[in-house]
Amino acid sequence: MDLPTSNFSTILMDLKTMLGHDNFSTILFYTPCVKVLCSIICVILLLYWLFFIPLNWTWYKDQWEDDVNDNGINCNSKRSAINRLRSTRLRNNKELPPPYPNGWYGILESSKLRAGESKHISCLGEQLIVFRSQGGEVYILDAYCPHLGANLSKGGRVIGDNIECPFHHWSFRGSDGMCTNIPYSSNIHSSTKTKKWTSTEVNGFIFLWYNVEESEVPWNIPKSVGVAKNELIYLGRSEFYVNCHIQEIPENAADLGHFQAIHDDNVVCGYWNQKRSIFSILGYHKWTASWNCTDLSHVAELNISHTFNLFGKLKCLRMNVIGKQIGPSYVHIILKSPTFGDVEIFQTIIPVEPLVQKVIHRFYSSRKMAPITKFFVFTGSVMFQRDMSIWNHKQYRSNPMLVLEETPLKKFRKWYAQFYTVNSKSFQVANNHDW
């Protein structure tokens, strides 16, 4: 019995000596079993991040080549960058189409709105409140109370399917905007209501139907079968603010000539001055693209065949891309890779101002594809930022000089023109809004 006691006493003495040592943490770290344990924990955390934590890529800052102004001040905030660029381009706004085309707009991600919660959304020249009932239904109303103008989303309470104004506790029903309760009055006239907006929730977004022609019937937004059945799960997103007219972004799909000019350089080269990058020796992307209208008048389709030429010789990463442009602001992208499998991407454009677009991409795939999907979030974001470096500094040309090979651009503009109508708010009128 003395032997175990003696051994235990020895261990305690050794531990006491280590704890009193000035370099105890260094000694502990270099103990073999501790190093192995730390390595295992790091690997587990890395695997957990790769497979279970969605990647969120946001880009708000002005990180273009003109970061410093004439006074030597670094203007790198989103708002200062947008205001600076806008002021230099509004001098030539006569060519711009109406800033708010008719159609569906994904104004909020479903995950951003919990049951019993409301959000204030400013977009399309409108001020809106989006709220979710306790039963999970989503409703969109005008944000300001018709009584005395309080913002329903700032302190308002969701009660059942109603939103209660924080100012006088008037309640408005989400399904039709009707006032259902005034605490101090039983005399509620049928005209006491606020505007109710048509909405739907699909593919991870809450969509608003915006159309200045009230007689227009909304078309259906197709559901992704894989997402609906939970075969494809949410694995990441990207978010950008772009200083351009909304039409310029979807028009990129029909501008087939820009793929070689901007997107051939490998993603490791970055998004700015990629032609000068030392990483260009790694290889380049090769794109073969076509753009066409479809049988559905509001849907157009981009088809891309992609390969990566490693060191300019070895062809790999073969992939087919199908991008369905559904209306003026929504795109459903399907990446089909024989090596990795399928990835679905949903892109929405939200005009927060006439020349400021908020663009969101949401990425879905199977769990086993999570690591490679993170790579697609990165590559897609770099490619999009290359386009942004052009959009943020260009002017819209209503009558551009085109060559024969750019026929798809003419077809696109004719197709996209259907989303403008005689009552569409002109750029001049929309820009006079008191932002």
Side-chain angles (χ1 to χ4, degrees), residues 317-320 335-343 369 376:
L317 295 177
R318 297 179 186 274
M319 184 169 52
N320 292 319
L335 309 182
K336 292 183 174 291
S337 169
T339 306
F340 302 110
D342 295 352
V343 176
M369 279 276 290
F376 284 142

Side-chain angles (χ1 to χ4, degrees), residues 96-123:
L96 288 169
Y100 308 133
N102 299 321
W104 285 108
Y105 289 87
I107 64 172
L108 186 65
E109 294 167 87
S110 298
S111 59
K112 305 293 185 182
L113 190 69
R114 296 173 299 198
E117 191 175 31
S118 66
K119 296 281 187 181
H120 176 234
I121 302 293
S122 176
C123 64

Side-chain angles (χ1 to χ4, degrees), residues 137-379:
E137 290 294 320
V138 172
Y139 303 104
I140 303 177
L141 305 175
D142 276 354
Y144 297 114
C145 180
H147 178 213
L148 287 175
N151 191 323
L152 298 173
S153 67
K154 304 302 179 182
R157 290 193 305 157
V158 177
I159 303 175
D161 292 340
N162 296 262
I163 183 73
E164 183 185 77
C165 178
F167 201 7
H168 295 84
H169 290 184
W170 288 28
S171 292
F172 297 91
R173 190 163 51 217
S175 58
D176 55 11
M178 295 294 297
C179 181
T180 58
N181 181 52
I182 300 176
Y184 48 86
S185 176
S186 59
N187 183 24
I188 305 176
H189 195 270
S190 59
S191 63
T192 308
K193 61 181 180 179
T194 188
K195 181 175 179 178
K196 189 266 181 184
W197 293 79
T198 300
S199 63
T200 188
E201 188 170 13
V202 62
N203 299 335
F205 284 98
I206 296 168
F207 286 87
L208 167 84
W209 175 253
Y210 177 89
N211 199 308
V212 293
E213 313 298 335
E214 295 185 0
S215 59
E216 288 288 327
V217 178
W219 59 77
N220 291 326
I221 301 176
K223 291 183 179 180
S224 165
V225 176
V227 173
K229 292 183 177 180
N230 291 323
E231 295 172 354
L232 303 178
I233 58 175
Y234 167 67
L235 292 171
R237 68 188 292 276
S238 63
E239 180 179 326
F240 307 91
Y241 281 83
V242 189
N243 183 219
C244 70
H245 189 279
I246 182 174
Q247 181 178 318
E248 305 247 36
I249 297 175
E251 185 171 287
N252 232 37
D255 182 9
L256 308 183
H258 94 283
F259 285 100
Q260 180 178 357
I262 294 180
H263 299 299
D264 267 13
D265 300 286
N266 71 73
V267 293
V268 183
C269 294
Y271 67 94
W272 188 257
N273 285 333
Q274 61 267 20
K275 301 291 183 184
R276 302 177 184 176
S277 173
I278 60 173
F279 297 108
S280 59
I281 61 172
L282 296 177
Y284 59 89
H285 302 273
K286 186 67 176 177
W287 314 88
T288 303
S290 64
W291 183 94
N292 292 287
C293 300
T294 68
D295 294 336
L296 296 173
S297 61
H298 60 276
V299 179
E301 187 170 291
L302 171 69
N303 286 275
I304 300 176
S305 176
H306 166 272
T307 57
F308 182 75
N309 292 359
L310 186 63
F311 301 116
K313 297 179 180 180
L314 180 62
K315 293 184 178 182
C316 57
L317 295 177
R318 297 179 186 274
M319 184 169 52
N320 292 319
V321 182
I322 301 172
K324 289 185 180 293
Q325 176 78 42
I326 304 170
S329 70
Y330 173 61
V331 184
H332 182 184
I333 304 168
I334 302 175
L335 309 182
K336 292 183 174 291
S337 169
T339 306
F340 302 110
D342 295 352
V343 176
E344 294 193 23
I345 307 168
F346 304 100
Q347 172 190 288
T348 62
I349 309 172
I350 311 158
V352 295
E353 293 184 18
L355 283 183
V356 180
Q357 315 302 325
K358 181 179 179 180
V359 184
I360 297 174
H361 302 89
R362 288 177 65 90
F363 293 74
Y364 290 79
S365 190
S366 61
R367 179 71 68 189
K368 65 180 181 180
M369 279 276 290
I372 193 65
T373 302
K374 280 184 168 61
F375 178 70
F376 284 142
V377 174
F378 163 72
T379 56

